[in-house]
Amino acid sequence: MKSFASREASRVFSRPNLAHRTSIIAPRNANIRIHEQRRGFRGTKPLLVVKPYLLADIGEGITECQVIQWFVKPGARVEQFDPICEVQSDKASVEITSRFDGIIKKLYYEADDMAKVGKPLVDIDIQSDISPADEALLNGGSGKQDDEVLLTGGGGTQEQKAHSLADPQEQEIELGRNDTKAAAEDVPGSDQSTSLPSEPSKTQRQPGKHASLATPAVRHMVKEHKLKIEDIEGTGREGRVLKDDVQRHVESMKQTTTTPSATSTPAPMITQQLEDQVKQLTPVQSGMFKQMTKSLSIPHFLYTDAIDFSSLTSLRKKYNTGREKPERITPLPIIIKAVSLTLQQFPLLNSHLDTTTNPNKPQIILKGSHNIGVAVDSPAGLLVPVIKNVQNHSIASLAQEIQRLSSLARAGKLSSADLTGATFTVSNIGSIGGGTVAPVIVGPQVGILGIGKARVVPAFGENEELIKREECVFSWSADHRVVDGAYVARAAEEVRKCLEGVEAMLVRMR
């Protein structure tokens, strides 16, 4: 019986369809018991990954950006979408946010350094589970684990193998975020930490969110005067420091130093030896340098015309009577609307010259929408935000859009979408001064209009009597490869008719 039971148990245990059973009992009379077979499992701690976070491609062919300000330093804990730093390109400022939860280990740049697109920006110790898509992003889309930096638990050694970089095209950029949850902690021995003020400000004022944030031009002024930006009271948006704030701070310092010496004996005059200074171009100046260099290949021709602003001024005074300042309109939205009505009759001025698709056979692209760029003098330099679909705007809505874009430009918050897609440009240089200007065309556009300062001049009336007239000179620059002087002259005459007879223009508006 025992031999039969042993053979039976052996036969049953070797069946493939019973291999998954945990226990097998022999026949009752065999007095044999087969014990359970258990499979052991061993748990491991989650792996921690230290990866370089790349500066993503922000479009428009930009290859480098200037680091304006760091919101974190080594040792700071960040969460997803927390701002890491703000960078300034040749068009606008952008806040770079974190894609992962973790701790900042290293900063690759100091403030005011030029960061390269596609190169490491910071090192982040990722301390949470990541999705397969994020893991592929960290490994450059390869999915290999050999490129990770594995940190063993229990105070062991660190095995660093970080060779793969994240795909810069998949890094997220979030515009307009001003809040941060990162808590900065000091880490000894770090040679990449940014310098933060160690002493409290002498004044007891409450700075805004961005009291230490300014455009590159303002930061250069602060460096020239050897000041600390934290000591300057900013009057810009959310405490942002502007050029006027720096100049006001310098004047106040001069007054405090000269007041005690006013009663003392005047000291002999000391001749100061002024030295030459070498400065790098700001990102905005670099963009202007590249664009204007390209514009040298465009054969410009200039056409000027004097416009009588009497009808336009009369309409504005009637409309602005009894209205608050934000609701009042300036001549600029009326002029832009007149230009849009003219572009419907002269579409060549609202076109792009394409010389890149086939250099041997250039072609003209007639643009359907009137996207008019408006030059704005900002603290960072000349910026040209774009008003989209002017043909669908009223004069009142154009005034609001101009005010919105101008505020964003002066605050350095214009996005790439606000600065691209222009089909024609208007430069209101008269808001600063000057009667006649020769504006430079920005390719691939074929035309630009420069508006001078309106002046009161003597003129003759209908009965040859001497009268006062408010005139403004309009300066047109056009690409002679596309349009000729007669075409531009007819377009300029149409704009003059619209502005000298504003009532008739309003009848034509949709």
Side-chain angles (χ1 to χ4, degrees), residues 87 95 117 132 171 208-209 246 302 314 327 348 392 452 455 459 497:
V87 298
E95 284 188 359
V117 172
Q171 300 287 350
K209 281 185 178 181
V246 179
L302 179 65
S314 176
E327 299 179 357
L348 279 179
N392 298 331
R455 304 178 185 276
K497 290 179 180 179

Side-chain angles (χ1 to χ4, degrees), residues 413-434:
K413 286 297 181 182
L414 286 171
S415 64
S416 298
D418 295 329
L419 294 164
T420 55
T423 59
F424 190 83
T425 302
V426 174
S427 177
N428 185 21
I429 194 65
S431 60
I432 301 176

Side-chain angles (χ1 to χ4, degrees), residues 430-490:
S431 60
I432 301 176
T436 306
V437 62
V440 181
I441 303 171
V442 179
Q445 302 172 45
V446 299
I448 183 174
L449 170 61
I451 305 171
K453 185 176 182 179
R455 304 178 185 276
V456 177
V457 297
F460 291 101
E462 296 179 357
N463 300 323
E464 297 185 357
E465 70 277 12
L466 190 63
I467 60 173
K468 293 191 301 182
R469 176 181 296 171
E470 186 179 6
E471 285 188 355
C472 181
V473 177
F474 281 18
S475 304
W476 300 75
S477 287
D479 189 342
H480 219 322
R481 297 173 298 178
V482 179
V483 296
D484 53 24
Y487 191 90
V488 175
R490 294 188 183 96

Side-chain angles (χ1 to χ4, degrees), residues 242-280:
L242 306 177
K243 280 186 177 180
D244 295 338
D245 300 330
V246 179
Q247 295 174 355
R248 191 181 304 108
H249 186 79
V250 172
E251 291 296 330
S252 63
M253 292 181 60
K254 289 181 180 179
Q255 292 178 1
T256 54
T257 54
T258 56
T259 301
S261 61
T263 56
S264 59
T265 306
M269 182 179 296
I270 300 176
T271 348
Q272 184 180 3
Q273 297 293 335
L274 301 179
E275 298 180 356
D276 297 340
Q277 297 181 357
V278 179
K279 296 183 178 180
Q280 299 294 328

